[in-house]
Amino acid sequence: MNKPPLIRAVKTQPPLTLTITWSTGETLPVDVSRLVRRFKLYGPLRDPAHFRKARVDAWGHAVLWPGDVDMSADPLYEMAREQAGEWGPERFAAWMAQHGLSLNTAADALGLSRRTMAHYRTGSRPIPHVVALACEALSARWAAKAA
């Protein structure tokens, strides 16, 4: 099983973007404005001075701010990858639903195991770029056949 990535460093950019360096070697920006607007507990982060106080927790599992405000590494990594154009679990599940695929039929179409499909759909493992490309190619092929 893959270990979830850890946060090595964080920098802030106005208005509500974190640039995070991950244990994977990636440095990815992640816009957290949607979270800040949606959840009351992130209200203090609307203050730019407070937002700039972001730091990494001692273990690399979260970004912390004063006042017991934190964001976990796992969803931040998923959001960062999705915002960078990579596929995440929501997009993979939508692809399956769009084509009426079960875990078994998706596995057969991609030449992977049912268990791997379950991991991709739940987000417990990141979706490799090559798998996302295969999904897009299959969608194009199926659309061409239907036309």
Side-chain angles (χ1 to χ4, degrees):
M1 184 168 171
N2 293 345
K3 289 167 66 173
L6 300 175
I7 299 172
R8 297 290 186 223
V10 65
K11 293 181 183 175
T12 61
Q13 293 176 242
L16 292 167
T17 297
L18 301 170
T19 300
I20 300 174
T21 301
W22 299 94
S23 60
T24 60
E26 300 164 290
T27 298
L28 299 169
V30 58
D31 177 352
V32 296
S33 60
R34 186 183 69 185
L35 294 175
V36 172
R37 282 193 312 272
R38 186 172 179 195
F39 298 105
K40 188 177 179 179
L41 73 117
Y42 295 132
L45 303 183
R46 291 184 186 125
D47 174 9
H50 195 85
F51 185 72
R52 284 192 301 268
K53 295 179 182 177
R55 69 183 198 291
V56 181
D57 81 345
W59 304 278
H61 294 283
V63 175
L64 306 174
W65 288 270
D68 291 329
V69 177
D70 65 78
M71 291 184 185
S72 177
D74 293 346
L76 284 172
Y77 185 67
E78 187 63 36
M79 284 175 53
R81 286 180 49 87
E82 286 179 18
Q83 290 175 13
E86 297 292 333
W87 279 45
E90 290 176 5
R91 189 167 176 186
F92 188 75
W95 175 79
M96 288 178 60
Q98 174 187 0
H99 297 293
L101 302 173
S102 67
L103 290 174
N104 288 331
T105 56
D108 289 344
L110 292 167
L112 299 168
S113 72
R114 181 185 190 283
R115 177 175 285 190
T116 298
M117 297 300 97
H119 284 298
Y120 294 164
R121 193 175 66 181
T122 63
S124 61
R125 290 199 182 147
I127 299 166
H129 189 66
V130 68
V131 172
L133 290 173
C135 293
E136 291 171 358
L138 285 170
S139 291
R141 179 186 291 171
W142 294 333
K145 282 185 180 180

